[in-house]
């Protein structure tokens, strides 16, 4: 194959950028769900106000 | 009088604007779009690298075209779509359209980056230089800056809705660049070649070389759908993080 290095470099750029495009939003979704889960568990473990405990 | 099918379609469309409904829709269909996009691109890449004969002048370097051209088309199509969503978001204040518009920006920037980088890599052996301040290359670079501007503006303002409106306005104004990119090779003396592939009329490219390009064009569109749904889902979850439906969603996933 002629110009092999150039062809490989171009296709490598394509693959790397698409891999980033695949991974980045999945990490964002995971982080958003984790934050929501932590918020839910914080609310669940929060002690009720003193007047409600009496 | 509307038909029952049309009524259901309109109702579904309105329901899709609801954040929890969109979340379910995106979570369900994004993986399918990714898989279909990957399979379609795999067929296209196989044809581009192993089936199509080498060009009589450019040798094998012309194979870069199969990722460069679909990415260039995507870079412009995504910008137009981003502006379309932004306009709907600005006029009708539909939150989901704001989210979709802002989710278009990083994907469009990625395809613009691929276009510039692969063009540069092809340009070195063919033109003898990595970069030339040619009208087509320069306007495509401005497109990348516009994408980065939209992303930066959206990230710089704390209030998500105000941020989306400000960045959406930039996207709408930026649409003026698209015809300049498209006709830059006609309006100015350009080192970049003119239109090779025509949707209507005969292409300058041999028919035996067109099939992998068609696969790649379809594949990149499907990939875009997957990426758009996933990015929009992430933004939707962040914006709605304090809502009951998100709490129920994470409870159900435990």
């Amino acid at each position: 194959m002629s110009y092999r290095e150039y062809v490989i470099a171009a296709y490598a750029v394509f693959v790397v950028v698409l891999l980033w495009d695949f991974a980045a939003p999945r990490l964002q979704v995971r982080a958003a769900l984790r934050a929501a889960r932590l918020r839910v568990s914080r609310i669940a473990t929060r002690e009720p106000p003193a007047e409600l405990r009496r | 009088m509307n038909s029952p099918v049309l009524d259901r379609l309109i109702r579904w469309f309105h329901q899709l604007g609801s954040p929890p409904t969109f979340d379910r829709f995106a979570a369900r269909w994004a993986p399918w779009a990714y898989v279909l996009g990957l399979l379609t691109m795999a067929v296209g890449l196989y044809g581009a690298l192993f089936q199509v004969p080498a060009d009589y002048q450019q040798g094998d370097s012309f194979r870069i075209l199969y990722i460069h051209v679909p990415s260039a088309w995507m870079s412009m199509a995504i910008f137009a779509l981003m502006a379309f969503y932004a306009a709907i978001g600005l006029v009708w204040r539909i939150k989901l359209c704001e989210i979709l518009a802002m989710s278009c920006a990083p994907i469009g920037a990625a395809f613009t980056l691929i276009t510039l980088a692969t063009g540069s890599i092809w340009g070195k052996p063919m033109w003898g230089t990595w970069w030339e301040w040619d009208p087509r290359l320069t306007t495509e670079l401005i497109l990348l800056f516009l994408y980065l501007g939209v992303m930066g503006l959206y990230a710089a303002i704390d209030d998500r809705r105000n941020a989306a409106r400000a960045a959406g306005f930039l996207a709408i104004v930026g649409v003026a660049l698209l015809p300049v990119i498209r006709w830059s090779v006609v309006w100015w003396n350009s080192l970049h070649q003119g239109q090779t592939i025509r949707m209507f009329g005969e292409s300058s490219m041999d028919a035996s070389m067109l099939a992998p390009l068609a696969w790649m064009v379809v594949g990149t569109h499907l990939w875009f759908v997957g990426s758009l749904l996933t990015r929009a889902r992430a933004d939707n979850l962040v914006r709605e993080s304090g809502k009951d439906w998100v709490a129920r969603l994470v409870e159900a996933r435990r």
Side-chain angles (χ1 to χ4, degrees), chain B residues 117-129:
Chain B
T118 55
S120 176
I121 292 167
W122 175 87
K124 181 61 181 164
M126 293 299 113
W127 292 349
T129 179

Side-chain angles (χ1 to χ4, degrees), chain A residues 1-3 5-7 9-11 13-14 17-22 24-26 28-29 32-33 36-41, chain B residues 34 45 58-61 63-64 67 110 114 118 121 124-126 223 227 230-231 233-234 241 246-247 249-251 253-254:
Chain A
M1 181 185 271
S2 56
Y3 305 108
E5 299 80 15
Y6 294 100
V7 175
Y11 278 78
V13 167
F14 183 70
V17 175
L18 286 196
L19 276 177
W20 166 82
D21 186 46
F22 178 76
R26 292 182 83 83
Q28 287 170 355
V29 169
L33 288 173
R37 198 162 38 244
L38 289 173
R39 181 180 283 109
V40 168
S41 46
Chain B
Y34 274 130
L45 289 179
Q58 300 180 28
D60 288 299
S61 74
R63 296 180 197 281
I64 295 172
I67 46 176
I114 293 173
T118 55
I121 292 167
K124 181 61 181 164
M126 293 299 113
W223 178 276
S227 185
T230 314
R231 285 179 187 278
R233 186 180 177 222
S241 58
V246 179
L249 178 73
V250 293
E251 286 288 328
R253 289 167 64 95
R254 276 186 177 177

